[in-house]
Amino acid sequence: MADNRQLWAELGIDLDRHDVLLGGLGPAYKEIYLSQKDRPRGMGFYDFVVGDIHGIRVHELQEHAKEGGKVVATYCVFVPEELVWAAGAIPVGLCAGAQFSVPIAEEVLPRNTCPLIKSSFGFKLGRVCPYVQSSHLIVGETTCDGKKKMYEILGRQQPVYVMEVPNKKGPLGRALWYGEVVAFKDVIEKLTGNEITAEKLAEATRKVNGRRLALKRLQALRQATPAPISGKDGLLVNQVSFYDDVTRNTQMVNALCDELDQRAAEGRGVFPAGAPRILVSGSPMAIPNWKLHHVIESAGAVVVGEESCVGTRCFEDLVPETGGTLEEQLRAIADRYMQIHCACFTPNDERLDDIIRLARETKADGVVHYNLQFCQTYASEAVKVEEALGKAGIPLLRVETDYSDEDAGQLRTRVEAFLEMVRR
Ligand code: BJ8
């Protein structure tokens, strides 16, 4: 702990504010996570990670930096992390799921901005995140207008590079995106002073695919009846994968899956076999955003998957490990990332197909469409989601919420009413 405080001070953290942030996290985690019964032993690792959330991993990043290594921070699953690893740098997905930093951001950003944007910006403005303080470059993207404009302001405080994500997935959009991937490779090479060779890129691709496969395995295990792991724990595993070391993370997820395999074989679940099964779909839930899952599972249902960027959109598709020339690999990477069905694209009907497929695969009794407040792309796309699920005969509840607890009671009431309907 003393070590941590010294490290945070060296990183320019506002220690008083940071104490308040961490002081709130512990009790919340205890209430939401540690109160769960019969959790898999493998979740012990994740309890440890959250218990020292700004400690060990930040020390690892600093060790890497002392040896001349670079840390590259990201906010979106569109940034191709394979290129970062291949250059010997470490990518870190920044948290943006805390209400704590929202009021700090509102001193600058319009209040009617999505909480994910405000939370991430507030972490920097308030100097309470050692991950953002540790990063040598923040990589943004043009997925939505709020983020684009936030990155411009963020760039006054720390180096920011923005990748242009097209709005359409036709040949022109794909050509633009391929160019962006090549340009990103150059940016990372310049930052690190390391050349990204075909061999290094193939190795990085194998590593990142390994983690995706482990997370896919976990998702497949969540399909068992009764569910061998809670949705809250499943979500946490996905959240931690954004900033943990890729090799260690793969090992820990696979170790957890070995245990869940055993549980599934024994028919041992964390909820009764008849508990309603819910698929959550929509905006990503960055750590420590556990609000909706907690409401759903406190009402007796189990969340069996997330059609989300902190969920299936992040790990379902692999980069083909074809090897070959650097250009061939860069094309394979660009193609893989264009399979992410974010609501920033028009049209984005593949996402509708994904939600229906996942609802069936997970044997979900209903879907809760999760919309972060003021996120227009997901809110508008919910209209089509509702139509598509209606045609498929899958019950849907649309919720729009933020990170505060102000609407928790109302949310609970709506979720409970939905579960009643689903149970009939
Ligand atoms: S690929 S979902 S991680 S952009 S919720 S900030 S869209 S106003 S997070 Fe996302 Fe990449 Fe898309 Fe995935 Fe804007 Fe909406 Fe906020 Fe959002």
Side-chain angles (χ1 to χ4, degrees):
M1 191 63 190
D3 260 13
N4 283 352
R5 286 192 84 75
Q6 190 187 338
L7 173 68
W8 298 332
E10 284 167 11
L11 287 170
I13 292 288
D14 179 333
L15 293 176
D16 292 339
R17 233 178 196 164
H18 188 252
D19 285 347
V20 181
L21 170 67
L22 291 194
L25 185 66
Y29 192 75
K30 196 170 169 201
E31 184 200 330
I32 296 171
Y33 274 89
L34 302 183
S35 61
Q36 298 178 98
K37 301 272 182 287
D38 196 27
R39 293 173 75 211
R41 280 188 321 280
M43 289 310 297
F45 169 71
Y46 294 89
D47 294 343
F48 169 72
V49 166
V50 177
D52 193 28
I53 195 158
H54 286 176
I56 290 175
R57 185 68 182 137
V58 182
H59 281 280
E60 289 176 352
L61 298 180
Q62 285 309 304
E63 286 306 312
H64 171 74
K66 273 184 203 147
E67 287 163 17
K70 302 294 180 199
V71 177
V72 177
T74 62
Y75 290 108
C76 172
V77 295
F78 255 95
V79 179
E81 61 177 302
E82 291 86 352
L83 291 166
V84 181
W85 290 113
I90 298 181
V92 180
L94 291 177
C95 322
Q99 172 63 20
F100 180 84
S101 51
V102 167
I104 304 171
E106 285 175 347
E107 290 169 18
V108 175
L109 295 178
R111 289 200 70 219
N112 61 351
T113 300
C114 121
L116 193 145
I117 297 171
K118 287 190 286 197
S119 179
S120 49
F121 184 70
F123 270 120
K124 177 63 206 175
L125 201 64
R127 291 186 290 112
V128 283
C129 175
Y131 293 98
V132 73
Q133 297 298 114
S134 298
S135 59
H136 300 93
L137 180 69
I138 297 175
V139 184
E141 19 49 59
T142 59
T143 45
C144 74
D145 291 350
K147 272 180 163 179
K148 271 190 299 208
K149 292 290 134 184
M150 183 270 277
Y151 293 137
E152 288 178 18
I153 307 170
L154 194 64
R156 295 175 185 164
Q157 318 226 4
Q158 211 161 320
V160 172
Y161 175 76
V162 176
M163 296 185 77
E164 182 165 356
V165 176
N167 285 180
K168 290 168 73 177
K169 289 185 177 174
L172 290 175
R174 286 175 187 277
L176 182 149
W177 178 241
Y178 174 68
E180 284 291 320
V181 170
V182 173
F184 182 57
K185 171 186 119 11
D186 295 344
V187 166
I188 294 296
E189 285 183 330
K190 200 166 160 211
L191 176 77
T192 58
N194 296 330
E195 187 192 352
I196 296 175
T197 62
E199 293 71 31
K200 286 182 189 167
L201 190 53
E203 175 57 23
T205 298
R206 262 193 299 281
K207 271 193 199 171
V208 179
N209 274 347
R211 190 192 58 218
R212 291 182 183 126
L213 285 166
L215 292 170
K216 271 165 79 91
R217 189 179 163 206
L218 173 64
Q219 180 55 41
L221 281 158
R222 290 172 73 184
Q223 294 174 15
T225 309
I229 183 169
S230 70
K232 285 193 285 197
D233 280 334
L235 174 65
L236 180 62
V237 173
N238 280 309
Q239 289 173 331
V240 168
S241 71
F242 279 86
Y243 66 93
D244 196 10
D245 174 71
V246 62
T247 304
R248 175 177 51 215
N249 195 250
T250 304
Q251 285 166 357
M252 298 317 291
V253 177
N254 275 322
L256 175 67
C257 289
D258 291 343
E259 188 186 349
L260 297 184
D261 261 333
Q262 184 69 31
R263 281 188 172 223
E266 292 166 4
R268 180 171 161 197
V270 286
F271 283 81
R277 299 167 65 87
I278 298 297
L279 175 73
V280 169
S281 165
S283 311
M285 295 170 174
I287 200 167
N289 178 8
W290 305 307
K291 182 176 168 179
L292 180 64
H293 281 50
H294 188 48
V295 167
I296 294 172
E297 298 202 327
S298 299
V302 55
V303 178
V304 287
E306 295 81 24
E307 187 282 317
S308 159
C309 288
V310 183
T312 54
R313 289 202 292 266
C314 168
F315 57 72
E316 272 206 319
D317 298 307
L318 306 183
V319 175
E321 291 177 29
T322 47
T325 64
L326 193 58
E327 187 190 329
E328 283 164 345
Q329 292 187 50
L330 290 171
R331 288 203 180 277
I333 286 172
D335 287 348
R336 182 268 168 199
Y337 280 80
M338 284 298 271
Q339 286 170 255
I340 300 168
H341 304 312
C342 173
C344 67
F345 286 99
T346 183
N348 191 34
D349 292 345
E350 297 93 335
R351 178 168 167 244
L352 309 179
D353 300 338
D354 278 353
I355 300 171
I356 292 170
R357 173 180 55 80
L358 286 164
R360 292 189 172 137
E361 278 176 12
T362 56
K363 302 183 274 296
D365 298 298
V367 173
V368 176
H369 191 271
Y370 175 73
N371 206 95
L372 279 173
Q373 200 180 33
F374 306 122
C375 172
Q376 288 166 353
T377 49
Y378 279 91
S380 300
E381 197 156 281
V383 175
K384 293 182 85 174
V385 172
E386 189 158 32
E387 284 167 7
L389 292 190
K391 276 189 201 142
I394 301 168
L396 172 77
L397 174 69
R398 283 167 62 175
V399 301
E400 177 161 330
T401 186
D402 59 12
Y403 294 163
S404 77
D405 277 332
E406 281 169 24
D407 64 346
Q410 190 201 43
L411 196 58
R412 206 170 297 122
T413 307
R414 292 192 61 216
V415 165
E416 283 170 0
F418 179 64
L419 295 178
E420 265 317 299
M421 192 264 284
V422 157
R423 277 190 181 103
R424 275 190 221 129

